[in-house]
Amino acid sequence: MTSAPDTTVPSTAAAGAEVCREKAGFLFSHACKFPPVNACSRCQRIVCQQHTCMGKGGMTCVSCNKKNNRRGRDKTNTNDNDRHHHHGNNPYFYGGYYYHGYGYYGEGYWGSDAYDNYTPDDYNDFTEADGAFLVAGDENFEQDMGGS
Amino acid sequence: MGHFTRALALARRAAQTGTSCVLLTNSALAEEVNTAALIPQGVSIVAIDPAADRDAVALRVAQEVSKQTWACALVDTFPRGLAGELPPILSGLSIPCILIHRFLCDAYADRPEVLKAAQSFDHIIVPGETAPLENLSHATRTAPWLLLDADELWGPTQARSELDIPDDGVPSVVVVGCGTAPEIQQAEKLASTMSEACGEQAQAHAHVRFVVPSKTWPLLRLLPGVDLLVGQAGYNTVQEARATGTTLIARPRTRLYDRQHGRLSDAEHCFGSDAEGISLVQTLLQSSRASQPCRYENGVHQALRVIRAAIA
């Protein structure tokens, strides 16, 4: 079972300092600004406390923990209670199951008041560029000639 | 820089024993450092512009390989090449191809195309550190590869003189500036602050020097004159410090393929902020250090035996 992350909000890393290399996010994958405090025992990526998981594989990053869980999960088991038990209260593994109305911004759902003043044109806020944040992993492999 | 140093370490030994070598590299170090004194006859360096993009790198590699009359091709670290260009190039070669397998992060090494490329090599040599593909059946692990053998290092007095450090018994701290430009600037600033903190009136007094490869290379030769080495945690810095028994205080850096944090053992010292680094240096300066002559096994010799057996 994955332990829930520390809810204390750390300070973001100082300019120029090392930052957590995990990109798992609650809604989108995005760069993390917090200072690293651990190294994943699987991929050795440096991660902040929020992106550290203590699971079957030891101390890992969120991405490796997800991979470990996918490999170990019984795919024929669709029992939601088992999934809940597996992930505990970690928001990186939860969507609509835990957060009512997750992903829905219609009236009455969480976050809908942010759209009270939207015009029809505002709903085009999300562009193809935002899709970049949905891609997990290190996209610069074999692209960055100085990145070794 | 690490790739070029490792390749040069092997090429030197090969050339000294009658085997000519061509080093194909995009490392800026190849043009920054004075390699003339270290390169025996028989080693030539083909430099690819460090600023070249991946398409230009791939094209240049293909061009150079097409001209080759080599007996063997060695690839350092990247089974598919830095730009992913190698699989079609190497598949067209009729000579043995050997992978020098330094550590690669799992996120890359786990990719099916990377594993497939590694398996296609005739042999894999693991230069002295744990690497994800070291258990493949055609892998051989050697001791770490070092640019110089132990008997090529300078004595402490000569080394301190070269570093402009008085031979007065006061400990020496050398801060190495390497990596990206901001990292080098940060190291220089650290050296300046550290020098003030370890001044003559300090409880932990030391001579602090800042060096960069373009001016002081190879630093390995001078490590017998260094009491504390402050640097990053790349392959060469760590292996050279370990081999020479030099106390290393490392600031691991984030890299795309390497995981510097993972290279250090629990007993080795690492720091994040400048303040931590200075505090660590001051603490270590107050513990006694016994200097011992450097004796280490240089893995390039075993690697050459493996390579020659593959060619034979």
Side-chain angles (χ1 to χ4, degrees):
Chain A
M1 175 174 163
T2 306
S3 56
D6 183 357
T7 55
T8 304
V9 179
S11 302
T12 56
E18 298 273 68
V19 292
C20 170
R21 293 281 288 168
E22 179 59 88
K23 289 185 179 177
F26 178 46
L27 182 60
F28 293 110
S29 294
H30 53 78
C32 178
K33 297 177 187 174
F34 294 118
V37 294
N38 296 311
C40 174
S41 62
R42 187 171 183 275
C43 72
Q44 299 186 36
R45 187 186 324 210
I46 51 172
V47 291
C48 67
Q49 192 61 45
Q50 303 293 317
H51 282 128
T52 297
C53 294
M54 287 300 296
K56 288 183 296 188
M59 184 186 291
T60 61
C61 65
V62 171
S63 298
C64 286
N65 191 269
K66 285 182 180 176
K67 282 185 208 171
N68 283 339
N69 290 341
R70 277 198 294 272
R71 288 186 189 132
R73 188 179 309 152
D74 178 2
K75 289 183 171 36
T76 64
N77 186 353
T78 57
N79 188 330
D80 282 348
N81 285 335
D82 281 353
R83 188 176 60 185
H84 170 76
H85 174 78
H86 196 67
H87 293 307
N89 294 321
N90 193 323
Y92 295 113
F93 296 87
Y94 272 86
Y97 177 83
Y98 195 78
Y99 297 99
H100 172 65
Y102 171 84
Y104 296 95
Y105 295 94
E107 186 177 345
Y109 287 89
W110 180 87
S112 64
D113 55 350
Y115 297 87
D116 284 350
N117 297 319
Y118 265 50
T119 68
D121 287 338
D122 289 324
Y123 289 96
N124 294 325
D125 274 355
F126 290 104
T127 67
E128 291 80 8
D130 295 299
F133 293 113
L134 296 173
V135 178
D138 293 289
E139 303 82 25
N140 276 341
F141 288 148
E142 299 180 6
Q143 303 296 322
D144 182 350
M145 295 301 98
S148 70
Chain B
M1 185 170 99
H3 307 284
F4 174 71
T5 302
R6 202 165 32 248
L8 186 58
L10 184 72
R12 289 187 71 231
R13 295 301 157 204
Q16 285 170 351
T17 50
T19 303
S20 58
C21 301
V22 174
L23 292 189
L24 183 57
T25 177
N26 75 332
S27 170
L29 183 71
E31 297 188 334
E32 284 177 6
V33 300
N34 178 10
T35 56
L38 277 188
I39 296 184
Q41 203 166 6
V43 176
S44 61
I45 297 176
V46 175
I48 299 174
D49 182 0
D53 62 22
R54 68 180 301 275
D55 291 339
V57 167
L59 179 62
R60 185 71 193 278
V61 169
Q63 288 172 340
E64 291 299 326
V65 172
S66 69
K67 295 188 287 189
Q68 64 83 21
T69 54
W70 312 323
C72 181
L74 286 87
V75 175
D76 188 273
T77 301
F78 303 101
R80 288 171 42 84
L82 196 55
E85 78 283 6
L86 285 183
I89 296 174
L90 297 185
S91 65
L93 297 181
S94 57
I95 55 175
C97 296
I98 298 177
L99 175 66
I100 311 304
H101 182 34
R102 186 216 71 183
F103 176 81
L104 275 176
C105 63
D106 279 356
Y108 183 66
D110 273 355
R111 292 186 167 194
E113 66 270 22
V114 176
L115 180 60
K116 182 180 175 187
Q119 288 171 328
S120 70
F121 281 84
D122 296 283
H123 207 88
I124 295 176
I125 301 177
V126 183
E129 63 176 16
T130 299
L133 306 175
E134 65 179 339
N135 293 320
L136 291 179
S137 60
H138 58 318
T140 301
R141 182 169 172 152
T142 69
W145 294 16
L146 293 146
L147 187 58
L148 304 172
D149 286 343
D151 59 8
E152 295 180 280
L153 306 188
W154 290 3
T157 303
Q158 188 181 8
R160 283 172 74 107
S161 174
E162 180 69 15
L163 290 165
D164 193 29
I165 296 174
D167 192 17
D168 56 4
V170 173
S172 59
V173 178
V174 169
V175 181
V176 182
C178 59
T180 65
E183 290 169 354
I184 295 172
Q185 287 170 3
Q186 190 178 28
E188 186 171 16
K189 175 173 168 289
L190 172 63
S192 175
T193 310
M194 194 175 286
S195 184
E196 290 172 12
C198 298
E200 277 190 34
Q201 307 305 320
Q203 188 173 5
H205 174 39
H207 295 299
V208 180
R209 297 291 181 267
F210 173 68
V211 300
V212 288
S214 58
K215 296 199 169 76
T216 306
W217 189 84
L219 183 60
L220 170 60
R221 181 158 41 200
L222 309 179
L223 287 184
V226 177
D227 292 296
L228 293 179
L229 179 65
V230 181
Q232 299 177 8
Y235 176 92
N236 288 292
T237 300
V238 171
Q239 302 301 346
E240 289 173 5
R242 286 177 183 163
T244 57
T246 307
T247 302
L248 171 65
I249 300 132
R251 173 153 42 193
R253 294 297 192 176
T254 300
R255 294 289 183 257
L256 183 57
Y257 298 95
D258 196 11
R259 295 296 177 261
Q260 294 197 352
H261 283 82
R263 180 167 288 117
L264 299 171
S265 70
D266 291 342
E268 290 173 314
H269 310 285
C270 69
F271 67 99
S273 68
D274 284 6
E276 285 173 2
I278 292 170
S279 175
L280 202 46
V281 164
Q282 290 173 322
T283 300
L284 290 170
L285 282 173
Q286 295 183 57
S287 59
S288 61
R289 294 163 306 280
S291 65
Q292 295 175 357
C294 293
R295 289 192 192 89
Y296 54 80
E297 178 189 358
N298 191 344
V300 291
H301 300 285
Q302 182 186 1
L304 268 180
R305 291 193 290 272
V306 171
I307 293 165
R308 288 192 167 121
I311 297 173

